[in-house]
Amino acid sequence: MIAKITRGKQMRRLLAYLYDTHKAKDHTDPHLVASWDGFAPDPGRDPNSQTAMTQLTNALELRLYQARGKDQQVPDKPVWQCSVRAAPEDPFLTDAQWADIARRVVAATGIAPDGDSDGCRWVAVRHADDHIHIAATTIRGDLRTARHWNDYLRADKELEAVERDYHLRIVIRGDRTAAQRPTRAETEKAHRTGHHHTPREQLRATLRTVVAVSTTTEEFFHHLTRSGILVEVLRFPSGDIRGYKVALEGDTNAAGEPVWFSGSTLAPDLSYPQIHARLTTTPPQPAPVAGAPRPNPWHQATAAIERIPHHLEHATDTAAQAHITAFAEALDALPLVTPKAIRAQLHEAAAAFERASRSRIKADHRHAQALRGAVRAIARQPPTTDGAALATFLDAAILALIAIQRWQSARHHNQQVQAARRTLTHLQAAYDHTAPAPLATLNQRQPPRTVMHHQATQMRQAVPGYAEHILTDPAWPALATVLTDAEAAGHDPARLLQQAADQRALGDARSPAQVLTWRIHRLTQRPAPSPRAKAAQSRSTVIGRSTLPSRHEEGGAASSVRAGQPDNRPRRR
């Protein structure tokens, strides 16, 4: 059930529309279902409808005339109208039920509070099965203006209770953190000019991408200018930046002037203070040491994303929100550095997750610096041709997204949950297009049968709950190949396998074999431990087994996943 509130100047014109059945063909049997005192004349039921209409109009406007006669201040638009509409799948509501809903709405919004004899005069008109219109004048009996600030939010909150009380469809409501939608004029202008997206949407997407790859506010403005965006920086008299506005080249008004948008009107997190806070809390990447091998930023970003489910479970809400924001930045930057074949899906994923990345929880941007730094390093490289690295990244991103969706759901961020669900569809499509080629290459190099038999034994020991599923998975030969490569590089396959399984989220995977393949592939990019390090690892393992309780004794869903046992959560991939 949703409400829409508007304001006008003339009650007569509003009532004429509500009772009209000639111009408005969808109006059938208009009649009152409730009024301020229960005795208001009803033009829809009175044989002399014109007289009843005049009487009703005069009664509703009485206090307006009284206030003006006593030189009281009257609002410029004193007519308040609220339409309340049920969902198509909701059951039929009787007039008495609609009357109860109308009384609850006017009470909640401050138009006519319960027990207030001086409340505003109002009527509720029904001219269709699925909705009513509440018409009121906002002058009270004591000739003061009604206190109905935030009336939409109050009405929306009351309708949420109505949905529960009448067992109606629960409408997913926002938290006032969504970006402003394009206006009707903007949409029609885009269609006339042959564009699929409005300037507002194009600017929002461009700004989000530029923020994701910038390290300072100066670099942010520089990248915007290079992108062909018109930028005007606004300053205080002291010279400090107080904001900015942007416009698309060629997007002009009737006077031929650019149509400017401030960052905050494009999205709440694109205001200058928000961007400044994000960029100043992310330190610059340290300069590489001469002669030392440079770390692969794709592997760094993947490792940071793999840790997101852990952060969401154990960190504070403000820290978790920071990791979600950084994840959104990674999605925004991804189309810049990926093959053309999947860019459309990644653009759609980034656009969908834009809504899931914000909530009423304020992000503490001191967290998630590792992911931000890796994303900025990736953005400075040419598009990757390493299919395995990209598949590893997307695989980790999908599992992190499922964890984010679960985190948002636990906090009743319903719009964010829906946005994350849409994002998941696009990320899975990009992964399904990327993964087959590197998996096929690994499958072609599968080790001899005796080696695979030994690795199968290790698999049953490391992840007993998933072992049989993995061993019958088409990706099992690829997993066996990366285990063989790891052993040839000096790694301990059993330890790598246990380490990969301990990273959680395995129960969310559609193919645990693929997840382990990409995790082990990334882990083997690190240098193999020295003999001394291996000896230390062996001693720590023996000590740990002798002093710590077994995994089965620890209990809980987290322990079962660490032990390689399925946690019976639905698999989304």
Side-chain angles (χ1 to χ4, degrees):
M1 188 165 280
I2 58 175
K4 181 180 180 181
I5 295 176
T6 58
R7 293 167 179 81
K9 295 185 176 181
Q10 296 183 352
M11 178 61 72
R12 175 182 56 82
R13 295 184 62 180
L14 175 58
L15 291 178
Y17 163 75
L18 296 180
Y19 279 93
D20 174 58
T21 56
H22 299 287
K23 294 181 181 179
K25 300 299 182 181
D26 57 337
H27 292 187
T28 58
D29 187 27
H31 60 279
L32 289 185
V33 295
S35 65
W36 73 94
D37 62 357
F39 299 101
D42 183 3
R45 293 288 184 264
D46 195 308
N48 193 343
S49 59
Q50 291 298 327
T51 300
M53 179 69 77
T54 301
Q55 292 173 343
L56 180 60
T57 303
N58 291 339
L60 287 170
E61 293 183 338
L62 174 63
R63 290 168 179 173
L64 294 180
Y65 295 128
Q66 291 175 337
R68 289 172 179 147
K70 294 187 178 183
D71 293 329
Q72 297 275 54
Q73 185 176 4
V74 175
D76 182 54
K77 293 183 177 181
V79 176
W80 184 89
Q81 191 264 147
C82 176
S83 61
V84 181
R85 185 177 297 272
E89 61 269 31
D90 284 340
F92 177 84
L93 298 175
T94 65
D95 283 355
Q97 291 173 322
W98 277 118
D100 174 61
I101 294 171
R103 294 187 188 96
R104 293 174 64 166
V105 169
V106 295
T109 55
I111 294 296
D114 287 335
D116 187 351
S117 59
D118 284 331
C120 300
R121 292 191 169 188
W122 62 274
V123 293
V125 179
R126 182 180 189 180
H127 55 208
D129 289 342
D130 63 346
H131 70 277
I132 60 170
H133 293 264
I134 305 172
T137 46
T138 55
I139 300 298
R140 294 166 40 84
D142 53 16
L143 303 187
R144 292 185 294 124
T145 302
R147 298 173 62 87
H148 59 93
W149 295 286
N150 288 327
D151 48 6
Y152 173 76
L153 294 178
R154 295 179 183 179
D156 198 49
K157 185 175 181 180
E158 185 62 32
L159 291 180
E160 189 175 5
V162 168
E163 290 167 350
R164 293 193 299 269
D165 295 343
Y166 283 91
H167 305 290
L168 307 177
R169 173 191 168 188
I170 302 298
V171 175
I172 295 178
R173 289 172 165 82
D175 55 5
R176 304 187 75 181
T177 62
Q180 183 177 337
R181 293 181 179 180
T183 64
R184 180 176 178 180
E186 292 171 355
T187 303
E188 291 178 350
K189 181 180 178 180
H191 289 165
R192 288 196 308 270
T193 55
H195 294 93
H196 295 293
H197 300 287
T198 64
R200 179 188 300 274
E201 294 168 316
Q202 295 178 55
L203 287 169
R204 182 187 302 136
T206 301
L207 262 64
R208 289 184 63 84
T209 302
V210 171
V211 170
V213 301
S214 300
T215 57
T216 64
T217 52
E218 292 78 11
E219 187 178 3
F220 168 72
F221 290 127
H222 175 69
H223 285 326
L224 279 183
T225 304
R226 289 187 59 188
S227 300
I229 304 294
L230 301 179
V231 184
E232 183 175 329
V233 180
L234 309 176
R235 298 181 182 274
F236 291 109
S238 63
D240 295 332
I241 298 176
R242 66 178 178 88
Y244 71 98
K245 55 184 181 179
V246 292
L248 276 185
E249 185 77 39
D251 181 35
T252 58
N253 56 22
E257 300 170 337
V259 180
W260 295 99
F261 296 86
S262 67
S264 59
T265 61
L266 295 175
D269 55 353
L270 291 179
S271 67
Y272 179 76
Q274 292 278 357
I275 292 175
H276 183 266
R278 267 197 275 177
L279 297 183
T280 54
T281 53
T282 304
Q285 290 289 96
V289 180
R294 293 191 177 187
N296 187 325
W298 281 98
H299 295 158
Q300 290 180 313
T302 302
I305 288 177
E306 285 178 343
R307 291 192 292 269
I308 286 179
H310 173 81
H311 293 311
L312 296 181
E313 184 174 348
H314 298 287
T316 63
D317 280 0
T318 55
Q321 183 63 50
H323 288 284
I324 294 173
T325 303
F327 181 78
E329 293 179 10
L331 295 185
D332 290 329
L334 206 53
L336 298 176
V337 291
T338 49
K340 186 177 181 180
I342 62 171
R343 286 178 191 169
Q345 289 291 352
L346 295 178
H347 275 300
E348 293 294 334
F353 194 74
E354 184 265 342
R355 179 65 193 98
S357 65
R358 288 189 304 273
S359 71
R360 303 294 290 181
I361 299 172
K362 185 178 180 180
D364 183 352
H365 293 300
R366 294 173 300 175
H367 302 272
Q369 293 180 2
L371 178 55
R372 280 201 173 90
V375 168
R376 284 157 175 72
I378 288 173
R380 284 159 175 74
Q381 295 184 340
T384 183
T385 57
D386 187 346
L390 181 56
T392 305
F393 180 94
L394 292 174
D395 178 78
I398 288 171
L399 295 178
L401 182 59
I402 294 172
I404 291 171
Q405 183 177 330
R406 188 179 297 122
W407 185 88
Q408 299 281 26
S409 178
R411 285 149 185 81
H412 306 289
H413 298 167
N414 297 327
Q415 286 194 348
Q416 288 85 340
V417 170
Q418 280 202 338
R421 190 174 295 124
R422 293 193 300 271
T423 308
L424 184 61
T425 301
H426 296 296
L427 277 187
Q428 286 179 333
Y431 173 83
D432 290 341
H433 189 279
T434 303
L439 282 174
T441 301
L442 292 171
N443 281 336
Q444 291 171 1
R445 297 175 44 233
Q446 74 177 72
R449 182 175 299 180
T450 54
V451 175
M452 293 188 67
H453 178 74
H454 173 66
Q455 292 173 348
T457 302
Q458 292 181 325
M459 186 69 60
R460 291 186 176 94
Q461 294 173 349
V463 283
Y466 296 101
E468 297 308 318
H469 180 56
I470 290 172
L471 295 176
T472 57
D473 192 299
W476 162 237
L479 175 54
T481 300
V482 296
L483 287 171
T484 303
D485 292 344
E487 187 170 13
H491 293 276
D492 180 355
R495 177 173 290 277
L496 281 181
L497 194 57
Q498 188 64 63
Q499 186 178 352
D502 282 349
Q503 290 179 3
R504 299 293 307 278
L506 202 58
D508 290 325
R510 183 178 62 186
S511 172
Q514 292 186 29
V515 173
L516 292 177
T517 297
W518 303 130
R519 288 179 179 176
I520 293 174
H521 172 77
R522 182 183 63 79
L523 292 172
T524 55
Q525 305 305 310
R526 303 173 180 175
S530 64
R532 179 178 295 181
K534 288 182 178 180
Q537 289 175 351
S538 178
R539 288 195 299 270
S540 65
T541 301
V542 172
I543 295 173
R545 288 176 179 173
S546 62
T547 59
L548 296 178
S550 69
R551 298 182 186 273
H552 298 288
E553 292 171 347
E554 292 174 3
S559 302
S560 66
V561 176
R562 294 189 190 98
Q565 299 290 343
D567 58 359
N568 296 322
R569 290 180 293 186
R571 294 179 179 175
R572 298 297 304 273
R573 243 202 11 81

